[in-house]
């Protein structure tokens, strides 16, 4: 019996540790050949000996289990690095089929305290990084289709966040980047569908090195229990979205953690007002909108804070 991703090749960014590592291992377990990308460079172990870069360690772990994998060290927020990453997948495995964008950083601070660099660095790594790899993957898939290849297969899985949905107060840079990623995802889904490509986004909740401070003391597992915030709860959904079984899933946003997957619906118009004249005036808008918002629950905004209460069961 063949594996669901057998014969396919994948890139996972930020895959040296945490969520990306779990995703890379899962794609390999399902049969994909994987390019394991991470920014981390080789270092030194406790004895002072040279140690492999995290991406190289994950690639070696995949190969040791009988899979195919190669490491790529580089920052995907750099345009040319992203080009080289996609080129590596094609050179090593003949083509690219799956792109999982996971790489990211945190620079948490309130909006009134945030520095320009803290804003720019998060937008660059998350949003620009997602664009860079998506751009070159899309060029690859479109080029194959334009050359007459039939049955081009492409899957993009992007990483958004509940911080975008709920409006995390201490993460204006992160929330903005993750909201931008959803826009990039839905745009890509519409633009690339004709070439056999789907694009979806997930909002994972996982305890990783990047989020250890965010989730400190949150739902700690008992002895012998799987952490409800383990990346292992997220990786299977990525494997599914990368698979042929998910051909009908495109332009979607899903929240995943702790044995639960929630499908997030698109925004809907809740009210509509028409001017009784040729154009609105301040006075007419005041007469319509002020009572409308006065009748709504205090503190309710466009943010969907209820997603933070989602759990299995």
């Amino acid at each position: 019996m063949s594996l669901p991703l057998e014969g396919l090749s994948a890139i996972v960014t930020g895959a040296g540790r945490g969520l990306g590592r779990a995703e890379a291992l899962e794609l390999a377990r399902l049969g994909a050949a994987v390019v394991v990308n991470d920014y981390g460079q080789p270092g030194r172990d406790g004895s002072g000996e040279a140690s492999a870069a995290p991406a190289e360690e994950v690639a070696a772990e995949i190969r040791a289990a009988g899979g195919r994998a190669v490491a790529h060290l580089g920052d995907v927020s750099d345009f040319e690095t992203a080009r080289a990453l996609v080129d590596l997948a094609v050179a090593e495995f003949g083509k690219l089929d799956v792109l999982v964008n996971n790489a990211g950083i945190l620079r948490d601070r309130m909006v009134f305290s945030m520095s320009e660099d803290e804003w720019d660095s998060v937008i660059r790594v998350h949003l620009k990084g997602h664009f860079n790899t998506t751009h070159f993957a899309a060029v690859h898939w479109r080029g194959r289709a334009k050359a007459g290849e039939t049955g081009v297969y492409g899957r993009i899985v992007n990483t958004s966040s509940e911080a975008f949905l709920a409006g995390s107060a201490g993460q204006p840079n992160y929330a903005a980047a993750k909201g931008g990623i959803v826009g990039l995802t839905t745009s890509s889904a519409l633009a690339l569908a004709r070439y056999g490509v789907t694009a979806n986004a997930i909002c994972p909740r996982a305890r990783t090195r990047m989020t250890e401070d965010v989730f400190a003391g949150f739902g700690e597992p008992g002895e012998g229990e799987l952490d409800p915030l383990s990346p292992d709860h997220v990786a299977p959904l990525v494997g599914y979205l990368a698979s042929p079984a998910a051909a009908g899933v495109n332009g979607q946003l899903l929240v995943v953690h702790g044995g639960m997957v929630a499908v997030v619906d698109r925004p809907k118009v809740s009210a509509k007002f028409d001017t009784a004249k040729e154009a609105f005036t301040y006075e007419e808008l005041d007469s319509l909108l002020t009572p409308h918002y006065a009748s709504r629950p205090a503190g309710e905004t466009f943010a969907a804070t209820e997603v933070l209460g989602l759990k299995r069961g």
Side-chain angles (χ1 to χ4, degrees), residues 9-253:
S9 67
I11 289 171
V12 183
T13 70
R17 299 181 178 89
L19 186 56
R21 173 183 175 274
E23 293 167 345
L25 293 175
E26 177 69 1
L27 295 182
R29 188 187 72 81
L30 295 175
V34 184
V35 179
V36 181
N37 160 266
D38 196 78
Y39 182 67
Q41 302 298 312
R44 299 281 177 180
D45 61 22
S47 66
E49 295 294 322
S51 62
E56 293 170 337
E57 293 177 344
V58 175
E61 187 176 354
I62 291 171
R63 292 193 296 268
R68 301 172 65 198
V70 62
H72 174 273
L73 308 185
D75 180 0
V76 293
S77 70
D78 179 80
F79 197 64
E80 292 305 317
T81 297
R83 183 200 303 270
L85 174 58
V86 172
D87 287 348
L88 176 62
V90 176
E92 286 287 329
F93 305 124
K95 58 185 172 61
L96 173 64
D97 301 294
V98 178
L99 171 63
V100 179
N101 283 310
N102 169 75
I105 61 172
L106 288 179
R107 299 290 185 270
D108 293 353
R109 205 173 297 276
M110 299 296 285
V111 69
F112 44 77
S113 302
M114 182 165 289
S115 70
E116 181 181 16
D117 181 68
E118 287 167 338
W119 174 270
D120 288 348
S121 60
V122 168
I123 298 297
R124 183 181 70 250
V125 175
H126 287 274
L127 185 52
K128 188 185 177 193
H130 272 61
F131 161 73
N132 287 347
T133 53
T134 297
H135 168 77
F136 289 111
V139 168
H140 170 70
W141 289 318
R142 182 175 180 270
R144 287 166 53 190
K146 291 291 187 180
E149 181 179 339
T150 59
V152 173
Y153 184 102
R155 298 285 188 271
I156 300 171
V157 183
N158 288 332
T159 306
S160 183
S161 171
E162 293 169 290
F164 149 67
L165 290 171
S168 180
Q171 297 179 304
N173 48 2
Y174 186 70
K178 292 306 190 181
I181 286 167
V182 173
L184 172 65
T185 302
T186 54
S187 174
S188 300
L190 292 174
L192 301 178
R194 70 184 71 179
Y195 304 118
V197 178
T198 66
N200 295 286
I202 63 171
C203 294
R205 191 186 299 181
R207 199 189 314 274
T208 67
R209 189 177 68 161
M210 188 179 84
T211 63
E212 60 186 355
D213 292 337
V214 176
F215 294 127
F218 185 96
E220 297 286 349
E223 185 176 350
E225 295 179 345
L226 180 63
D227 187 345
L229 295 183
S230 168
D232 292 336
H233 287 298
V234 178
L237 177 61
V238 173
Y240 167 74
L241 292 173
S243 75
V249 185
N250 192 29
Q252 302 299 309
L253 179 64

Side-chain angles (χ1 to χ4, degrees), residues 220-288:
E220 297 286 349
E223 185 176 350
E225 295 179 345
L226 180 63
D227 187 345
L229 295 183
S230 168
D232 292 336
H233 287 298
V234 178
L237 177 61
V238 173
Y240 167 74
L241 292 173
S243 75
V249 185
N250 192 29
Q252 302 299 309
L253 179 64
L254 303 99
V255 175
V256 54
H257 59 80
M260 178 217 73
V261 173
V263 177
V264 180
D265 203 0
R266 66 187 186 275
K268 296 180 179 179
V269 176
S270 64
K272 175 179 175 290
F273 302 95
D274 297 317
T275 181
K277 306 171 184 178
E278 184 177 1
F280 275 117
T281 61
Y282 166 85
E283 290 77 14
E284 187 180 16
L285 288 171
D286 180 27
S287 70
L288 294 171

